[in-house]
Amino acid sequence: MKKWVFCLLVLLVLSYAFVKFKASDLSIIPLHKITLTEENSPTPTDRGFTIKVTQEQVYQGDLLLVNQDHPVPDQGPAEEAVSLAQHRELLQGFSVLDNTVRLSERLAGKLAEMVAAAGEDGVNHFLITSGYRDEQRQDELYRQMGAEYAMPAGYSEHNLGLSLDIGSSQAEMNVAPEGQWLKENAWRYGFVLRYPENKTAVTGIQYEPWHFRYVGLPHSAIMQKNDMVLEEYLDYLKDKQAVKVEVNGQTYQVFYFPVTDDGTIRVPAEGSYEISGNNRDGVVVTVHEE
Ligand SMILES: [Zn+2]
């Protein structure tokens, strides 16, 4: 064989392999319409704003950590939870087990948005079995079911009002299409699977394919990308102090600030912001650049 023919063949084989690799790479992208880029130390800037924070704010917001070491703060949930069965206008695309299932109107709205998206994918048998539980209800559950199944009153995320148990009317959640869809997509709507199978050592809670927690965007996206549960995510923010992230073409900067006393903090970014405590020692400020 002539040398140039051989070279041409090698080139053809290589370019075929390259194109094939790129194609399989690209075929993944449509599933992940949300792209993330992280920047751990943002470039110093004169831009920014100052906000007043109080110690109370450590115990308010969507990122509060509640587990066996961190009880629900004394003031309880910020929003009133209503019985969904008695507010049928809130039952959008899902059903409830009975009239004891309570959620805040805001959370019911977030849930409706998520299940509407699942419905477009043909997944539409969502059954909500539990939402907000007051401490009395939690106490009953703890006594009836025992420590294996329920946390003592004040230590369950359900007492915080930001968690819900989502089932399927078709099958157990670990095999139901509803469970699979949520596992892959809940983060796009601000929810996270709170007790995944591979994190029982971190959460101290067995795998619960039905228990979802609202943390909001972009936090759910960063947690999903980094395979982190809330315990790990709050540690990560504390360690990095600033994270920049792009989700669906929107840019967010997330900052952690320790709070020991009432005072002011300087946020080195511009845009609209949200603030949440971590229920431990500080606050997370999320700036949405506009
Ligand atoms: Zn639960």
Side-chain angles (χ1 to χ4, degrees), residues 72 76-77 79-83 99-103 130-142 150-163:
V72 175
E79 297 157 315
E80 194 203 346
V82 297
S83 163
N99 63 8
T100 67
V101 178
R102 292 163 71 189
L103 278 185
S130 189
Y132 169 69
R133 297 179 201 139
D134 59 26
E135 298 211 356
Q136 192 189 341
R137 176 89 189 95
Q138 187 69 32
D139 195 47
E140 281 166 20
L141 207 66
Y142 182 66
M151 296 293 285
Y155 290 83
S156 165
E157 270 203 341
H158 286 281
N159 306 145
L160 188 61
L162 294 171
S163 292

PDB file of all heavy atoms in Angstrom, residues 72 76-77 79-83 99-103 130-142 150-163:
ATOM      1  N   VAL A  72     -35.595  22.121  64.626  1.00  0.00           N
ATOM      2  CA  VAL A  72     -36.336  23.228  64.025  1.00  0.00           C
ATOM      3  C   VAL A  72     -36.240  24.423  64.980  1.00  0.00           C
ATOM      4  O   VAL A  72     -36.417  24.253  66.185  1.00  0.00           O
ATOM      5  CB  VAL A  72     -37.810  22.820  63.818  1.00  0.00           C
ATOM      6  CG1 VAL A  72     -38.648  23.984  63.310  1.00  0.00           C
ATOM      7  CG2 VAL A  72     -37.914  21.645  62.868  1.00  0.00           C
ATOM      8  N   GLY A  76     -40.466  28.214  64.643  1.00  0.00           N
ATOM      9  CA  GLY A  76     -41.232  27.311  63.790  1.00  0.00           C
ATOM     10  C   GLY A  76     -41.259  27.786  62.349  1.00  0.00           C
ATOM     11  O   GLY A  76     -40.476  28.651  61.961  1.00  0.00           O
ATOM     12  N   PRO A  77     -42.162  27.231  61.543  1.00  0.00           N
ATOM     13  CA  PRO A  77     -42.184  27.576  60.121  1.00  0.00           C
ATOM     14  C   PRO A  77     -42.659  29.014  59.889  1.00  0.00           C
ATOM     15  O   PRO A  77     -43.481  29.530  60.643  1.00  0.00           O
ATOM     16  CB  PRO A  77     -43.168  26.574  59.519  1.00  0.00           C
ATOM     17  CG  PRO A  77     -43.993  26.106  60.648  1.00  0.00           C
ATOM     18  CD  PRO A  77     -43.190  26.257  61.901  1.00  0.00           C
ATOM     19  N   GLU A  79     -44.215  30.114  57.229  1.00  0.00           N
ATOM     20  CA  GLU A  79     -45.455  30.236  56.462  1.00  0.00           C
ATOM     21  C   GLU A  79     -46.522  29.294  57.011  1.00  0.00           C
ATOM     22  O   GLU A  79     -46.218  28.179  57.432  1.00  0.00           O
ATOM     23  CB  GLU A  79     -45.192  29.874  54.995  1.00  0.00           C
ATOM     24  CG  GLU A  79     -44.216  30.800  54.336  1.00  0.00           C
ATOM     25  CD  GLU A  79     -43.541  30.182  53.137  1.00  0.00           C
ATOM     26  OE1 GLU A  79     -43.107  29.024  53.195  1.00  0.00           O
ATOM     27  OE2 GLU A  79     -43.436  30.873  52.125  1.00  0.00           O
ATOM     28  N   GLU A  80     -47.734  29.731  56.929  1.00  0.00           N
ATOM     29  CA  GLU A  80     -48.835  28.899  57.397  1.00  0.00           C
ATOM     30  C   GLU A  80     -49.089  27.773  56.404  1.00  0.00           C
ATOM     31  O   GLU A  80     -49.080  27.988  55.190  1.00  0.00           O
ATOM     32  CB  GLU A  80     -50.099  29.757  57.539  1.00  0.00           C
ATOM     33  CG  GLU A  80     -51.184  29.072  58.330  1.00  0.00           C
ATOM     34  CD  GLU A  80     -52.568  29.626  58.023  1.00  0.00           C
ATOM     35  OE1 GLU A  80     -52.656  30.715  57.402  1.00  0.00           O
ATOM     36  OE2 GLU A  80     -53.551  28.974  58.394  1.00  0.00           O
ATOM     37  N   ALA A  81     -49.271  26.570  56.923  1.00  0.00           N
ATOM     38  CA  ALA A  81     -49.570  25.439  56.049  1.00  0.00           C
ATOM     39  C   ALA A  81     -51.062  25.153  56.107  1.00  0.00           C
ATOM     40  O   ALA A  81     -51.655  25.196  57.184  1.00  0.00           O
ATOM     41  CB  ALA A  81     -48.784  24.219  56.498  1.00  0.00           C
ATOM     42  N   VAL A  82     -51.632  24.875  54.949  1.00  0.00           N
ATOM     43  CA  VAL A  82     -53.078  24.627  54.901  1.00  0.00           C
ATOM     44  C   VAL A  82     -53.341  23.187  54.447  1.00  0.00           C
ATOM     45  O   VAL A  82     -52.493  22.578  53.782  1.00  0.00           O
ATOM     46  CB  VAL A  82     -53.799  25.609  53.935  1.00  0.00           C
ATOM     47  CG1 VAL A  82     -53.653  27.041  54.423  1.00  0.00           C
ATOM     48  CG2 VAL A  82     -53.287  25.466  52.499  1.00  0.00           C
ATOM     49  N   SER A  83     -54.484  22.668  54.819  1.00  0.00           N
ATOM     50  CA  SER A  83     -54.857  21.321  54.365  1.00  0.00           C
ATOM     51  C   SER A  83     -55.160  21.394  52.874  1.00  0.00           C
ATOM     52  O   SER A  83     -56.026  22.154  52.434  1.00  0.00           O
ATOM     53  CB  SER A  83     -56.095  20.839  55.122  1.00  0.00           C
ATOM     54  OG  SER A  83     -56.680  19.749  54.419  1.00  0.00           O
ATOM     55  N   ASN A  99     -56.987  14.372  54.260  1.00  0.00           N
ATOM     56  CA  ASN A  99     -57.053  15.810  54.566  1.00  0.00           C
ATOM     57  C   ASN A  99     -56.053  16.264  55.633  1.00  0.00           C
ATOM     58  O   ASN A  99     -56.044  17.419  56.027  1.00  0.00           O
ATOM     59  CB  ASN A  99     -58.487  16.245  54.898  1.00  0.00           C
ATOM     60  CG  ASN A  99     -59.014  15.550  56.143  1.00  0.00           C
ATOM     61  OD1 ASN A  99     -58.259  14.866  56.840  1.00  0.00           O
ATOM     62  ND2 ASN A  99     -60.300  15.700  56.415  1.00  0.00           N
ATOM     63  N   THR A 100     -55.192  15.336  56.108  1.00  0.00           N
ATOM     64  CA  THR A 100     -54.163  15.772  57.061  1.00  0.00           C
ATOM     65  C   THR A 100     -52.931  16.340  56.342  1.00  0.00           C
ATOM     66  O   THR A 100     -52.042  16.887  56.986  1.00  0.00           O
ATOM     67  CB  THR A 100     -53.679  14.609  57.968  1.00  0.00           C
ATOM     68  OG1 THR A 100     -52.972  13.654  57.157  1.00  0.00           O
ATOM     69  CG2 THR A 100     -54.825  13.929  58.690  1.00  0.00           C
ATOM     70  N   VAL A 101     -52.862  16.171  55.016  1.00  0.00           N
ATOM     71  CA  VAL A 101     -51.680  16.638  54.285  1.00  0.00           C
ATOM     72  C   VAL A 101     -51.721  18.161  54.150  1.00  0.00           C
ATOM     73  O   VAL A 101     -52.633  18.718  53.549  1.00  0.00           O
ATOM     74  CB  VAL A 101     -51.583  15.979  52.883  1.00  0.00           C
ATOM     75  CG1 VAL A 101     -50.374  16.512  52.130  1.00  0.00           C
ATOM     76  CG2 VAL A 101     -51.517  14.467  53.009  1.00  0.00           C
ATOM     77  N   ARG A 102     -50.711  18.792  54.760  1.00  0.00           N
ATOM     78  CA  ARG A 102     -50.683  20.265  54.781  1.00  0.00           C
ATOM     79  C   ARG A 102     -49.407  20.796  54.140  1.00  0.00           C
ATOM     80  O   ARG A 102     -48.325  20.250  54.320  1.00  0.00           O
ATOM     81  CB  ARG A 102     -50.734  20.752  56.234  1.00  0.00           C
ATOM     82  CG  ARG A 102     -52.058  20.468  56.921  1.00  0.00           C
ATOM     83  CD  ARG A 102     -51.929  20.580  58.426  1.00  0.00           C
ATOM     84  NE  ARG A 102     -51.762  21.964  58.863  1.00  0.00           N
ATOM     85  CZ  ARG A 102     -51.458  22.316  60.125  1.00  0.00           C
ATOM     86  NH1 ARG A 102     -51.287  21.391  61.050  1.00  0.00           N
ATOM     87  NH2 ARG A 102     -51.319  23.580  60.447  1.00  0.00           N
ATOM     88  N   LEU A 103     -49.573  21.886  53.402  1.00  0.00           N
ATOM     89  CA  LEU A 103     -48.419  22.566  52.791  1.00  0.00           C
ATOM     90  C   LEU A 103     -48.713  24.061  52.785  1.00  0.00           C
ATOM     91  O   LEU A 103     -49.875  24.471  52.811  1.00  0.00           O
ATOM     92  CB  LEU A 103     -48.231  22.143  51.328  1.00  0.00           C
ATOM     93  CG  LEU A 103     -47.502  20.846  50.961  1.00  0.00           C
ATOM     94  CD1 LEU A 103     -47.373  20.772  49.452  1.00  0.00           C
ATOM     95  CD2 LEU A 103     -46.126  20.759  51.606  1.00  0.00           C
ATOM     96  N   SER A 130     -47.472  13.264  52.779  1.00  0.00           N
ATOM     97  CA  SER A 130     -47.223  14.067  53.974  1.00  0.00           C
ATOM     98  C   SER A 130     -46.538  15.374  53.593  1.00  0.00           C
ATOM     99  O   SER A 130     -45.751  15.414  52.645  1.00  0.00           O
ATOM    100  CB  SER A 130     -46.338  13.281  54.950  1.00  0.00           C
ATOM    101  OG  SER A 130     -46.270  13.959  56.177  1.00  0.00           O
ATOM    102  N   GLY A 131     -46.873  16.415  54.333  1.00  0.00           N
ATOM    103  CA  GLY A 131     -46.228  17.713  54.090  1.00  0.00           C
ATOM    104  C   GLY A 131     -45.775  18.274  55.422  1.00  0.00           C
ATOM    105  O   GLY A 131     -45.010  17.632  56.138  1.00  0.00           O
ATOM    106  N   TYR A 132     -46.302  19.439  55.771  1.00  0.00           N
ATOM    107  CA  TYR A 132     -45.974  20.025  57.069  1.00  0.00           C
ATOM    108  C   TYR A 132     -46.653  19.220  58.179  1.00  0.00           C
ATOM    109  O   TYR A 132     -47.831  18.877  58.071  1.00  0.00           O
ATOM    110  CB  TYR A 132     -46.437  21.486  57.133  1.00  0.00           C
ATOM    111  CG  TYR A 132     -46.369  22.057  58.523  1.00  0.00           C
ATOM    112  CD1 TYR A 132     -45.142  22.282  59.120  1.00  0.00           C
ATOM    113  CD2 TYR A 132     -47.530  22.322  59.253  1.00  0.00           C
ATOM    114  CE1 TYR A 132     -45.072  22.781  60.421  1.00  0.00           C
ATOM    115  CE2 TYR A 132     -47.469  22.817  60.549  1.00  0.00           C
ATOM    116  CZ  TYR A 132     -46.233  23.041  61.128  1.00  0.00           C
ATOM    117  OH  TYR A 132     -46.159  23.507  62.401  1.00  0.00           O
ATOM    118  N   ARG A 133     -45.885  18.914  59.214  1.00  0.00           N
ATOM    119  CA  ARG A 133     -46.472  18.287  60.403  1.00  0.00           C
ATOM    120  C   ARG A 133     -46.160  19.159  61.605  1.00  0.00           C
ATOM    121  O   ARG A 133     -45.009  19.542  61.799  1.00  0.00           O
ATOM    122  CB  ARG A 133     -45.823  16.923  60.686  1.00  0.00           C
ATOM    123  CG  ARG A 133     -46.032  15.887  59.616  1.00  0.00           C
ATOM    124  CD  ARG A 133     -45.307  14.597  60.031  1.00  0.00           C
ATOM    125  NE  ARG A 133     -45.047  13.754  58.889  1.00  0.00           N
ATOM    126  CZ  ARG A 133     -43.905  13.074  58.693  1.00  0.00           C
ATOM    127  NH1 ARG A 133     -42.927  13.142  59.573  1.00  0.00           N
ATOM    128  NH2 ARG A 133     -43.753  12.334  57.632  1.00  0.00           N
ATOM    129  N   ASP A 134     -47.178  19.454  62.403  1.00  0.00           N
ATOM    130  CA  ASP A 134     -46.869  20.199  63.624  1.00  0.00           C
ATOM    131  C   ASP A 134     -46.252  19.226  64.626  1.00  0.00           C
ATOM    132  O   ASP A 134     -46.211  18.014  64.398  1.00  0.00           O
ATOM    133  CB  ASP A 134     -48.092  20.935  64.167  1.00  0.00           C
ATOM    134  CG  ASP A 134     -49.253  20.013  64.492  1.00  0.00           C
ATOM    135  OD1 ASP A 134     -49.007  18.824  64.781  1.00  0.00           O
ATOM    136  OD2 ASP A 134     -50.410  20.468  64.466  1.00  0.00           O
ATOM    137  N   GLU A 135     -45.745  19.775  65.713  1.00  0.00           N
ATOM    138  CA  GLU A 135     -44.978  18.935  66.637  1.00  0.00           C
ATOM    139  C   GLU A 135     -45.837  17.866  67.291  1.00  0.00           C
ATOM    140  O   GLU A 135     -45.364  16.779  67.593  1.00  0.00           O
ATOM    141  CB  GLU A 135     -44.245  19.808  67.664  1.00  0.00           C
ATOM    142  CG  GLU A 135     -43.257  20.714  66.963  1.00  0.00           C
ATOM    143  CD  GLU A 135     -42.021  21.047  67.774  1.00  0.00           C
ATOM    144  OE1 GLU A 135     -41.943  20.632  68.937  1.00  0.00           O
ATOM    145  OE2 GLU A 135     -41.135  21.728  67.228  1.00  0.00           O
ATOM    146  N   GLN A 136     -47.117  18.185  67.478  1.00  0.00           N
ATOM    147  CA  GLN A 136     -48.026  17.198  68.080  1.00  0.00           C
ATOM    148  C   GLN A 136     -48.177  15.986  67.152  1.00  0.00           C
ATOM    149  O   GLN A 136     -48.083  14.838  67.590  1.00  0.00           O
ATOM    150  CB  GLN A 136     -49.377  17.858  68.341  1.00  0.00           C
ATOM    151  CG  GLN A 136     -50.275  17.021  69.220  1.00  0.00           C
ATOM    152  CD  GLN A 136     -51.686  17.589  69.272  1.00  0.00           C
ATOM    153  OE1 GLN A 136     -51.918  18.755  68.952  1.00  0.00           O
ATOM    154  NE2 GLN A 136     -52.626  16.761  69.664  1.00  0.00           N
ATOM    155  N   ARG A 137     -48.365  16.271  65.870  1.00  0.00           N
ATOM    156  CA  ARG A 137     -48.519  15.205  64.868  1.00  0.00           C
ATOM    157  C   ARG A 137     -47.218  14.380  64.777  1.00  0.00           C
ATOM    158  O   ARG A 137     -47.240  13.162  64.685  1.00  0.00           O
ATOM    159  CB  ARG A 137     -48.861  15.837  63.514  1.00  0.00           C
ATOM    160  CG  ARG A 137     -48.955  14.884  62.361  1.00  0.00           C
ATOM    161  CD  ARG A 137     -50.364  14.308  62.199  1.00  0.00           C
ATOM    162  NE  ARG A 137     -50.383  13.236  61.213  1.00  0.00           N
ATOM    163  CZ  ARG A 137     -50.277  11.940  61.524  1.00  0.00           C
ATOM    164  NH1 ARG A 137     -50.165  11.537  62.758  1.00  0.00           N
ATOM    165  NH2 ARG A 137     -50.307  11.026  60.565  1.00  0.00           N
ATOM    166  N   GLN A 138     -46.082  15.081  64.829  1.00  0.00           N
ATOM    167  CA  GLN A 138     -44.792  14.404  64.765  1.00  0.00           C
ATOM    168  C   GLN A 138     -44.605  13.495  65.974  1.00  0.00           C
ATOM    169  O   GLN A 138     -44.108  12.377  65.869  1.00  0.00           O
ATOM    170  CB  GLN A 138     -43.662  15.446  64.698  1.00  0.00           C
ATOM    171  CG  GLN A 138     -42.277  14.848  64.464  1.00  0.00           C
ATOM    172  CD  GLN A 138     -42.123  14.262  63.065  1.00  0.00           C
ATOM    173  OE1 GLN A 138     -42.721  14.766  62.115  1.00  0.00           O
ATOM    174  NE2 GLN A 138     -41.367  13.197  62.936  1.00  0.00           N
ATOM    175  N   ASP A 139     -45.038  13.990  67.120  1.00  0.00           N
ATOM    176  CA  ASP A 139     -44.911  13.232  68.349  1.00  0.00           C
ATOM    177  C   ASP A 139     -45.748  11.949  68.290  1.00  0.00           C
ATOM    178  O   ASP A 139     -45.287  10.866  68.661  1.00  0.00           O
ATOM    179  CB  ASP A 139     -45.343  14.113  69.543  1.00  0.00           C
ATOM    180  CG  ASP A 139     -44.893  13.518  70.858  1.00  0.00           C
ATOM    181  OD1 ASP A 139     -43.711  13.127  70.947  1.00  0.00           O
ATOM    182  OD2 ASP A 139     -45.724  13.409  71.775  1.00  0.00           O
ATOM    183  N   GLU A 140     -46.961  12.059  67.753  1.00  0.00           N
ATOM    184  CA  GLU A 140     -47.833  10.885  67.590  1.00  0.00           C
ATOM    185  C   GLU A 140     -47.165   9.848  66.694  1.00  0.00           C
ATOM    186  O   GLU A 140     -47.120   8.660  66.997  1.00  0.00           O
ATOM    187  CB  GLU A 140     -49.157  11.287  66.918  1.00  0.00           C
ATOM    188  CG  GLU A 140     -50.174  11.945  67.838  1.00  0.00           C
ATOM    189  CD  GLU A 140     -51.301  12.605  67.014  1.00  0.00           C
ATOM    190  OE1 GLU A 140     -51.498  12.236  65.823  1.00  0.00           O
ATOM    191  OE2 GLU A 140     -51.941  13.491  67.569  1.00  0.00           O
ATOM    192  N   LEU A 141     -46.615  10.354  65.597  1.00  0.00           N
ATOM    193  CA  LEU A 141     -45.983   9.488  64.604  1.00  0.00           C
ATOM    194  C   LEU A 141     -44.772   8.768  65.208  1.00  0.00           C
ATOM    195  O   LEU A 141     -44.564   7.575  65.005  1.00  0.00           O
ATOM    196  CB  LEU A 141     -45.542  10.358  63.422  1.00  0.00           C
ATOM    197  CG  LEU A 141     -45.448   9.697  62.071  1.00  0.00           C
ATOM    198  CD1 LEU A 141     -46.814   9.262  61.590  1.00  0.00           C
ATOM    199  CD2 LEU A 141     -44.855  10.676  61.064  1.00  0.00           C
ATOM    200  N   TYR A 142     -44.003   9.528  65.964  1.00  0.00           N
ATOM    201  CA  TYR A 142     -42.800   8.985  66.601  1.00  0.00           C
ATOM    202  C   TYR A 142     -43.172   7.881  67.590  1.00  0.00           C
ATOM    203  O   TYR A 142     -42.533   6.833  67.649  1.00  0.00           O
ATOM    204  CB  TYR A 142     -42.066  10.123  67.308  1.00  0.00           C
ATOM    205  CG  TYR A 142     -40.767   9.713  67.963  1.00  0.00           C
ATOM    206  CD1 TYR A 142     -39.672   9.293  67.196  1.00  0.00           C
ATOM    207  CD2 TYR A 142     -40.620   9.769  69.349  1.00  0.00           C
ATOM    208  CE1 TYR A 142     -38.478   8.927  67.793  1.00  0.00           C
ATOM    209  CE2 TYR A 142     -39.424   9.405  69.957  1.00  0.00           C
ATOM    210  CZ  TYR A 142     -38.359   8.988  69.178  1.00  0.00           C
ATOM    211  OH  TYR A 142     -37.175   8.633  69.766  1.00  0.00           O
ATOM    212  N   ALA A 150     -39.577   7.510  62.172  1.00  0.00           N
ATOM    213  CA  ALA A 150     -39.840   8.947  62.347  1.00  0.00           C
ATOM    214  C   ALA A 150     -38.848   9.574  63.322  1.00  0.00           C
ATOM    215  O   ALA A 150     -38.324   8.908  64.216  1.00  0.00           O
ATOM    216  CB  ALA A 150     -41.266   9.153  62.849  1.00  0.00           C
ATOM    217  N   MET A 151     -38.618  10.861  63.134  1.00  0.00           N
ATOM    218  CA  MET A 151     -37.756  11.612  64.045  1.00  0.00           C
ATOM    219  C   MET A 151     -38.617  12.130  65.205  1.00  0.00           C
ATOM    220  O   MET A 151     -39.812  12.332  65.052  1.00  0.00           O
ATOM    221  CB  MET A 151     -37.140  12.810  63.314  1.00  0.00           C
ATOM    222  CG  MET A 151     -36.215  12.445  62.179  1.00  0.00           C
ATOM    223  SD  MET A 151     -34.723  11.639  62.744  1.00  0.00           S
ATOM    224  CE  MET A 151     -33.814  13.034  63.417  1.00  0.00           C
ATOM    225  N   PRO A 152     -37.991  12.371  66.363  1.00  0.00           N
ATOM    226  CA  PRO A 152     -38.776  12.978  67.448  1.00  0.00           C
ATOM    227  C   PRO A 152     -39.238  14.383  67.065  1.00  0.00           C
ATOM    228  O   PRO A 152     -38.636  15.024  66.187  1.00  0.00           O
ATOM    229  CB  PRO A 152     -37.795  13.018  68.618  1.00  0.00           C
ATOM    230  CG  PRO A 152     -36.453  12.698  68.090  1.00  0.00           C
ATOM    231  CD  PRO A 152     -36.607  12.095  66.730  1.00  0.00           C
ATOM    232  N   ALA A 153     -40.297  14.846  67.703  1.00  0.00           N
ATOM    233  CA  ALA A 153     -40.854  16.171  67.393  1.00  0.00           C
ATOM    234  C   ALA A 153     -39.771  17.243  67.489  1.00  0.00           C
ATOM    235  O   ALA A 153     -38.967  17.239  68.424  1.00  0.00           O
ATOM    236  CB  ALA A 153     -41.983  16.484  68.371  1.00  0.00           C
ATOM    237  N   GLY A 154     -39.745  18.120  66.489  1.00  0.00           N
ATOM    238  CA  GLY A 154     -38.775  19.212  66.502  1.00  0.00           C
ATOM    239  C   GLY A 154     -37.501  18.890  65.735  1.00  0.00           C
ATOM    240  O   GLY A 154     -36.724  19.775  65.416  1.00  0.00           O
ATOM    241  N   TYR A 155     -37.285  17.613  65.400  1.00  0.00           N
ATOM    242  CA  TYR A 155     -36.063  17.216  64.687  1.00  0.00           C
ATOM    243  C   TYR A 155     -36.362  16.692  63.290  1.00  0.00           C
ATOM    244  O   TYR A 155     -35.478  16.211  62.604  1.00  0.00           O
ATOM    245  CB  TYR A 155     -35.296  16.164  65.487  1.00  0.00           C
ATOM    246  CG  TYR A 155     -34.681  16.739  66.743  1.00  0.00           C
ATOM    247  CD1 TYR A 155     -35.428  16.880  67.908  1.00  0.00           C
ATOM    248  CD2 TYR A 155     -33.364  17.172  66.738  1.00  0.00           C
ATOM    249  CE1 TYR A 155     -34.872  17.427  69.052  1.00  0.00           C
ATOM    250  CE2 TYR A 155     -32.797  17.712  67.879  1.00  0.00           C
ATOM    251  CZ  TYR A 155     -33.552  17.845  69.035  1.00  0.00           C
ATOM    252  OH  TYR A 155     -32.986  18.400  70.151  1.00  0.00           O
ATOM    253  N   SER A 156     -37.631  16.768  62.896  1.00  0.00           N
ATOM    254  CA  SER A 156     -37.993  16.299  61.558  1.00  0.00           C
ATOM    255  C   SER A 156     -38.088  17.488  60.623  1.00  0.00           C
ATOM    256  O   SER A 156     -38.595  18.552  60.996  1.00  0.00           O
ATOM    257  CB  SER A 156     -39.350  15.595  61.598  1.00  0.00           C
ATOM    258  OG  SER A 156     -39.855  15.463  60.280  1.00  0.00           O
ATOM    259  N   GLU A 157     -37.626  17.311  59.398  1.00  0.00           N
ATOM    260  CA  GLU A 157     -37.763  18.360  58.386  1.00  0.00           C
ATOM    261  C   GLU A 157     -39.229  18.687  58.122  1.00  0.00           C
ATOM    262  O   GLU A 157     -39.548  19.776  57.677  1.00  0.00           O
ATOM    263  CB  GLU A 157     -37.123  17.903  57.080  1.00  0.00           C
ATOM    264  CG  GLU A 157     -35.677  18.253  56.956  1.00  0.00           C
ATOM    265  CD  GLU A 157     -35.263  18.304  55.509  1.00  0.00           C
ATOM    266  OE1 GLU A 157     -35.953  17.736  54.650  1.00  0.00           O
ATOM    267  OE2 GLU A 157     -34.219  18.921  55.240  1.00  0.00           O
ATOM    268  N   HIS A 158     -40.091  17.728  58.379  1.00  0.00           N
ATOM    269  CA  HIS A 158     -41.527  17.987  58.153  1.00  0.00           C
ATOM    270  C   HIS A 158     -42.060  19.070  59.099  1.00  0.00           C
ATOM    271  O   HIS A 158     -43.039  19.720  58.791  1.00  0.00           O
ATOM    272  CB  HIS A 158     -42.341  16.706  58.324  1.00  0.00           C
ATOM    273  CG  HIS A 158     -42.181  15.757  57.185  1.00  0.00           C
ATOM    274  ND1 HIS A 158     -42.837  15.917  55.983  1.00  0.00           N
ATOM    275  CD2 HIS A 158     -41.406  14.664  57.040  1.00  0.00           C
ATOM    276  CE1 HIS A 158     -42.497  14.938  55.158  1.00  0.00           C
ATOM    277  NE2 HIS A 158     -41.616  14.160  55.778  1.00  0.00           N
ATOM    278  N   ASN A 159     -41.397  19.260  60.235  1.00  0.00           N
ATOM    279  CA  ASN A 159     -41.818  20.304  61.179  1.00  0.00           C
ATOM    280  C   ASN A 159     -41.401  21.688  60.700  1.00  0.00           C
ATOM    281  O   ASN A 159     -41.814  22.703  61.248  1.00  0.00           O
ATOM    282  CB  ASN A 159     -41.239  20.060  62.575  1.00  0.00           C
ATOM    283  CG  ASN A 159     -41.536  18.672  63.121  1.00  0.00           C
ATOM    284  OD1 ASN A 159     -40.720  18.095  63.816  1.00  0.00           O
ATOM    285  ND2 ASN A 159     -42.698  18.116  62.791  1.00  0.00           N
ATOM    286  N   LEU A 160     -40.538  21.718  59.687  1.00  0.00           N
ATOM    287  CA  LEU A 160     -40.014  22.978  59.161  1.00  0.00           C
ATOM    288  C   LEU A 160     -40.940  23.558  58.089  1.00  0.00           C
ATOM    289  O   LEU A 160     -40.922  24.748  57.811  1.00  0.00           O
ATOM    290  CB  LEU A 160     -38.623  22.701  58.569  1.00  0.00           C
ATOM    291  CG  LEU A 160     -37.756  23.841  58.118  1.00  0.00           C
ATOM    292  CD1 LEU A 160     -37.435  24.772  59.284  1.00  0.00           C
ATOM    293  CD2 LEU A 160     -36.458  23.309  57.513  1.00  0.00           C
ATOM    294  N   GLY A 161     -41.720  22.690  57.459  1.00  0.00           N
ATOM    295  CA  GLY A 161     -42.659  23.165  56.446  1.00  0.00           C
ATOM    296  C   GLY A 161     -42.076  23.239  55.048  1.00  0.00           C
ATOM    297  O   GLY A 161     -42.723  23.750  54.138  1.00  0.00           O
ATOM    298  N   LEU A 162     -40.849  22.735  54.841  1.00  0.00           N
ATOM    299  CA  LEU A 162     -40.231  22.811  53.517  1.00  0.00           C
ATOM    300  C   LEU A 162     -40.039  21.434  52.876  1.00  0.00           C
ATOM    301  O   LEU A 162     -39.371  21.298  51.862  1.00  0.00           O
ATOM    302  CB  LEU A 162     -38.862  23.516  53.607  1.00  0.00           C
ATOM    303  CG  LEU A 162     -38.906  24.990  54.003  1.00  0.00           C
ATOM    304  CD1 LEU A 162     -37.498  25.514  54.269  1.00  0.00           C
ATOM    305  CD2 LEU A 162     -39.568  25.829  52.911  1.00  0.00           C
ATOM    306  N   SER A 163     -40.628  20.412  53.507  1.00  0.00           N
ATOM    307  CA  SER A 163     -40.438  19.044  53.010  1.00  0.00           C
ATOM    308  C   SER A 163     -41.767  18.386  52.725  1.00  0.00           C
ATOM    309  O   SER A 163     -42.781  18.732  53.326  1.00  0.00           O
ATOM    310  CB  SER A 163     -39.719  18.201  54.057  1.00  0.00           C
ATOM    311  OG  SER A 163     -38.416  18.658  54.188  1.00  0.00           O
TER     312      SER A 163
END
